[in-house]
Amino acid sequence: MNAVLFPDLVVNGETVPHAVVAAEAQNHDAPTGKPGIAWRKAANAVAVRTLLLQEARKRQITADPAEVAPGRFETDEEALIRGLLEAEVEVASPSEDAVQAEWSRDPSRFRAPPLWEVSHILIACDPRDTDETTAAKARADQVLEAVTANPRKFGHIAEEHSDCGSKSSAGALGQLGPGDTVPEFEKVLRGLESGAITGAPVLTRHGWHIICMDAAEEGAELPYHSVKPRIAEAMEKAAWAKGARAFVAKLAAKAEITGADLMPVQ
């Protein structure tokens, strides 16, 4: 991206280096051939960050970097912004009536995790090896043809062709739930109905899979008392985010900004 083509970002007289916006642009999607969209998104994000940092320094906010993950800490700037927002945005816990009303809107949104009874046939390969992956795909296609011709023999075909230890149990993996498999495998499970077999081999980090959904059970609807804390937390977070946006809008209304418009970019 040629930063020279884009205007300088200036926030209250502070010129932000093009390199800062260019680095931020790497975090924003844009259609192919339209780098200006990513730049606009990045300029808006950097402008907001600059506004918040200017206000934090004006108020002489101090905040030590917090640990956000094991061994990973905020930057000094992230800590300053957090400290500012914590001082400015106050959100009351939602009332019992409000939480219950949110749950009552659609109780079916709150369910226990689903359970899947799954069998599969694995044609193992290392996806990082293109030749090996191509050869394994050809083999997987042949196995899938045999399965499609006679789905009732899925278990026998798994015993004969699968590279997974589950071949000894006709490919059965037993009951699985969210988080029990690699994400790319789970994504497919979420779209398979009971009795369905994938129409094409599925590639994961382990190789190509032909997956059979022996049975799928949607998680039971959870009672209000068990989901109340989760709903209250989500409502509080949403209210906090709304308050933070309102605070940023107030700062922006008083600011002099060129090179960013702080409007949503489609």
Side-chain angles (χ1 to χ4, degrees):
M1 183 180 296
N2 187 354
V4 176
L5 299 177
F6 301 103
D8 288 337
L9 173 61
V10 183
V11 181
N12 291 326
E14 179 183 344
T15 300
V16 179
H18 272 81
V20 173
V21 182
E24 176 66 26
Q26 308 307 310
N27 301 321
H28 298 273
D29 295 328
T32 302
K34 295 186 177 180
I37 291 179
W39 185 271
R40 283 183 60 202
K41 291 178 178 179
N44 285 341
V46 173
V48 168
R49 187 163 69 231
T50 303
L51 273 176
L52 291 170
L53 286 170
Q54 288 175 346
E55 185 67 14
R57 289 164 179 148
K58 177 182 175 182
R59 297 191 188 190
Q60 298 184 327
I61 296 289
T62 58
D64 293 326
E67 188 172 18
V68 294
R72 189 167 74 84
F73 290 82
E74 294 174 315
T75 65
D76 290 339
E77 289 190 347
E78 289 169 341
L80 275 180
I81 291 172
R82 174 179 52 78
L84 172 65
L85 294 176
E86 286 177 349
E88 178 65 26
V89 182
E90 294 185 9
V91 175
S93 297
S95 68
E96 174 76 22
D97 288 346
V99 175
Q100 189 151 18
E102 176 63 22
W103 174 79
S104 298
R105 266 195 328 111
D106 184 5
S108 66
R109 292 176 295 162
F110 308 102
R111 294 182 175 276
L115 282 176
W116 303 299
E117 194 85 28
V118 181
S119 298
H120 81 141
I121 300 168
L122 171 66
I123 308 301
C125 67
D126 182 348
R128 296 170 297 184
D129 187 319
T130 302
D131 291 340
E132 182 182 341
T133 301
T134 300
K137 174 62 161 53
R139 183 180 158 210
D141 286 337
Q142 291 178 343
V143 173
L144 180 58
E145 285 183 14
V147 169
T148 302
N150 199 337
R152 292 185 178 183
K153 288 192 174 181
F154 189 98
H156 294 297
I157 296 171
E159 290 172 345
E160 184 176 352
H161 294 284
S162 183
D163 295 325
C164 178
S166 64
K167 66 187 297 181
S168 61
S169 55
L173 294 173
Q175 282 192 337
L176 301 175
D180 288 340
T181 68
V182 294
E184 53 269 42
F185 194 97
E186 181 177 317
K187 181 179 179 180
V188 175
L189 296 185
R190 289 186 177 277
L192 276 183
E193 297 180 354
S194 294
I197 297 173
T198 47
V202 176
L203 183 62
T204 75
R205 64 198 70 180
H206 302 300
W208 295 98
H209 304 257
I210 301 164
I211 305 170
C212 177
M213 180 64 75
D214 299 316
E217 181 179 334
E218 186 177 20
E221 195 173 297
L222 296 170
Y224 170 69
H225 69 82
S226 68
V227 296
K228 173 186 170 182
R230 190 203 318 174
I231 297 172
E233 181 181 9
M235 292 176 70
E236 193 166 336
K237 285 182 178 178
W240 190 92
K242 182 179 180 180
R245 288 194 298 270
F247 176 56
V248 169
K250 185 170 68 173
L251 292 179
K254 300 184 298 181
E256 292 184 7
I257 301 173
T258 59
D261 54 21
L262 302 191
M263 298 294 292
V265 182
Q266 302 298 326

